[in-house]
Amino acid sequence: MTLTIADVDHVASLARLGLTPEEREQMREQLSTILEHIALLNELDTEAIPPTAQVIALTNVMRDDEVRPSLPVEAVLANAPRRSGDYFEVHTPLGGDEELP
Amino acid sequence: MSAGNSSTWTELTSLTAAEARRLLDERKISAVELAEAHLARIEALEPTLHCHLHVMADVAREQAREADARIERGEAAPLTGIPISLKDVLCTMDAPTTAASRILEGYRSPYDATVVQKLREQGAVFVGKANTDEFAMGSSTENSAFGGTKNPWDTTRVPGGSSGGPAAAVASGEAILGLGSDTGGSIRQPAGFCGIVGVKPTYGRVSRYGLIAFASSLDQIGPFARTVEDAAILLEAIAGHDPADSTSSPLPVPTYRAALRPDLRGLRIGIAQEYSVPGMEPGVATAVEAAIDRLKELGAEIVPVSLPHTKYALPVYYITAPAEASANLARYDGVRYGLACEASSLREMYEKTRGRGFGAEVKRRIMLGTYALSSGYYDAYYVKAQKVRTLIKRDFDEAFERVDAIAVPTSPTVAFPLGARLDDPYQMYLADVFTVPANLAGIPGIAVPCGFSEGLPVSLQVLAKPFDEETALRVAYAYEQSEGWWRMRPPV
């Protein structure tokens, strides 16, 4: 599996990951090599095999629906790079130069 | 390499947790003395080894004073006053938690991880937050954004990873015990490279609440110790159900120390030819074969078993773990905590922040995982990997119908030189070839020292059935007690 720079750019865009031109080329080479090793899986016929999502026997773990104390607002906002009152502050998500999904 | 030759290797820093417990309870030593001895060791060694990203000297001294008061009241718990090193992916309220990443530099968690809380309740002493590969992604600790850790047996070599910091700290006497996390071998492999004991518990045995998530279906927290008994003590302290982690098991926690016996009579131990691979070092193969002969002498019946899908474990892991990581690491977006780069739009802010905040290996895994989950590739990569994961788990299920435990090498090589695998990611990934199957199957594994090859520690890995840590510990303990490897000290 050989990736193109366009593949790298598409995936980086999905991951919201800014890459330098050098990183893009290195990523293209290294991911292509890793995907070649991963292609080993194609020699197995897994048509009838169910996928494993998790390995333990627990399913549908529920808890009582009770109101409990949560972290104080000040503690949660203490690490915020930008805050506005009791809120995290961000750029406008839509409009401006943002592309719509 | 017989006895430590540095002036700060003292009787106090050579104690096991079990020995220290007895001396503390008999008032022959104090928790404050014990903490000071380890802090002195840290001060002497850190310029060379760099095991810790943050030394918690003030916290440790305060905890030690409280421990002495608690012991005086006759209320000591098994870990009261015992110095412990915490991998820096475990959230602590009284020290930074960074996952060795620039993106979390200076981050202060508003809560403690459940395991941290449990150790606090026992009155343990936290000496520091230990180094790791960034977000626990790596096999050498060289991916730490704040500089790597050196192997105490040979400071030109890696300590293994990702939990190289706590492993090297326990091996070198900077702490008596350590806590790490193991997603594909990140406790067992560095324990092996540093000549100590490391346990990856069954998935669900230990709460993951407050562990910075890497791959949520694989991650487990587990102990580092210089003896199997100490590892059993620490595992017992951290195991158990936690309402804050819905994947933690409600099964009762056994008294692990009660499972430790000097012989292996009545046990069937499997050996698997699939754990002999090209690139395996002869010195490792020889030491592991000798260890398996010893298991037989101790009374175990050795039974060949087949784990035919072993060679697919690494490819399955390097789809599954990056896929889960790409989702888990989406939270580092510069909004709620961590690095935030200036930008003119939200999207630009995300891309700049993540581009600057993450290191090369983390970016590689986010890319790989995003690719494997992306439209058009999801079935070919992610679903395929989860199907092969089923086959790997079935291999173990079938083998464990015939045997009580499986004994294999922890790693195909001893600790490799610093820098040797940095330019070739897949070579680095191969360091985990014998450890990833246990994570994919969810089973417990313990790494125990089994000799030396060219002066560097070799490690035996004992795998057991889900929630049968007792058998894994029993096998490792009987082996350990029949040999003297654990008394060897690195030359630092």
Side-chain angles (χ1 to χ4, degrees), chain B residues 401-433:
Chain B
E401 284 174 13
R402 300 178 53 217
V403 296
D404 303 295
I406 297 172
V408 294
T410 304
S411 307
T413 70
V414 294
F416 45 86
L418 294 163
R421 301 192 182 194
L422 274 182
D423 296 333
D424 187 343
Y426 206 79
Q427 277 301 310
M428 187 70 91
Y429 297 172
L430 283 172
D432 302 331
V433 67

Side-chain angles (χ1 to χ4, degrees), chain A residues 1 11 13 15-16 18 23 30 37-38 41 43-44 46 49-50 52 55-56 79-81 91 97-98, chain B residues 108 203 247 311-312 319 335 337 343 345-347 351 354-355 363-364 367 371 384 386-387 390 426 440:
Chain A
M1 185 74 201
V11 175
S13 165
R16 303 293 189 264
E23 283 178 320
Q30 291 178 335
H37 288 285
I38 286 173
L41 298 183
E43 68 185 41
L44 287 173
T46 52
I49 309 296
T52 293
V55 288
I56 46 174
N79 287 287
H91 287 281
D97 60 351
E98 289 297 317
Chain B
R108 287 275 179 160
Y203 183 81
T247 64
K311 70 170 173 174
Y312 303 107
I319 294 172
V335 173
Y337 37 69
S345 72
L346 186 60
R347 188 185 181 104
E351 292 182 346
R354 292 162 61 79
K363 286 181 190 168
R364 207 147 40 226
M367 291 289 288
Y371 179 76
K384 180 81 182 183
Q386 300 323 302
K387 288 179 164 195
T390 302
Y426 206 79
L440 294 170

Side-chain angles (χ1 to χ4, degrees), chain B residues 232-264:
Chain B
I233 293 168
L234 182 50
L235 179 59
E236 195 174 317
I238 60 172
H241 181 250
D242 176 11
D245 174 4
S246 62
T247 64
S248 66
S249 171
L251 288 174
V253 178
T255 307
Y256 290 117
R257 258 185 300 176
L260 307 181
R261 289 162 46 181
D263 70 80
L264 298 175

Side-chain angles (χ1 to χ4, degrees), chain A residues 1-3 7-20 23-24 26-28 30-63 68 71-72 74-83 87-100, chain B residues 106-111 202-204 217 241 243 246-250 309 311-312 315-316 318-319 324 334-340 342-352 354-356 358 360 362-364 366-368 370-371 374-375 377 380-381 383-391 393-394 422-426 429 439-442 467:
Chain A
M1 185 74 201
T2 304
L3 297 182
D7 293 328
V8 170
D9 288 347
H10 172 63
V11 175
S13 165
L14 290 174
R16 303 293 189 264
L17 197 57
L19 298 178
T20 65
E23 283 178 320
R24 290 161 76 216
Q26 194 182 44
M27 203 65 84
R28 194 191 64 73
Q30 291 178 335
L31 294 182
S32 296
T33 306
I34 294 166
L35 290 172
E36 277 168 32
H37 288 285
I38 286 173
L40 180 69
L41 298 183
N42 294 330
E43 68 185 41
L44 287 173
D45 177 4
T46 52
E47 192 60 39
I49 309 296
T52 293
Q54 53 110 337
V55 288
I56 46 174
L58 298 174
T59 49
N60 297 340
V61 177
M62 301 292 186
R63 64 169 171 79
R68 285 179 298 187
L71 290 170
E74 274 311 310
V76 173
L77 283 166
N79 287 287
R82 296 196 304 178
R83 65 183 282 184
Y87 299 94
F88 296 107
E89 190 180 312
V90 293
H91 287 281
T92 311
L94 294 176
D97 60 351
E98 289 297 317
E99 54 188 88
L100 291 167
Chain B
Y107 173 71
R108 287 275 179 160
S109 173
Y111 59 90
T202 307
Y203 183 81
S217 80
H241 181 250
S246 62
T247 64
S248 66
S249 171
H309 297 94
K311 70 170 173 174
Y312 303 107
V316 169
Y318 278 98
I319 294 172
E324 295 183 18
V335 173
R336 288 162 300 162
Y337 37 69
L339 181 71
E342 286 301 320
S344 56
S345 72
L346 186 60
R347 188 185 181 104
E348 188 194 346
M349 192 277 282
Y350 289 155
E351 292 182 346
K352 271 175 125 174
R354 292 162 61 79
R356 289 185 196 167
F358 291 133
V362 174
K363 286 181 190 168
R364 207 147 40 226
I366 290 173
M367 291 289 288
L368 191 56
T370 305
Y371 179 76
S374 66
S375 177
Y377 298 98
Y381 287 101
V383 175
K384 180 81 182 183
Q386 300 323 302
K387 288 179 164 195
V388 181
R389 185 174 181 181
T390 302
L391 296 174
K393 185 168 188 305
R394 282 181 188 171
L422 274 182
D423 296 333
D424 187 343
Y426 206 79
Y429 297 172
N439 299 80
L440 294 170
F467 298 102

Side-chain angles (χ1 to χ4, degrees), chain B residues 11-25 29 34 38 77-84 122 124 170 175-178 223-235 257 486 489:
Chain B
E11 276 178 45
L12 289 174
T13 58
S14 300
L15 294 172
T16 66
E19 290 165 346
R21 174 82 277 120
R22 187 171 50 76
L23 294 172
L24 286 165
D25 290 347
I29 60 171
L34 194 60
H38 286 86
L79 296 174
T80 305
I82 304 296
I84 302 182
Q122 287 225 359
V170 171
I176 293 180
L177 298 172
F224 286 106
R226 293 195 290 265
T227 65
V228 176
E229 183 185 18
D230 278 8
I233 293 168
L234 182 50
L235 179 59
R257 258 185 300 176
W486 69 274
R489 294 285 180 264

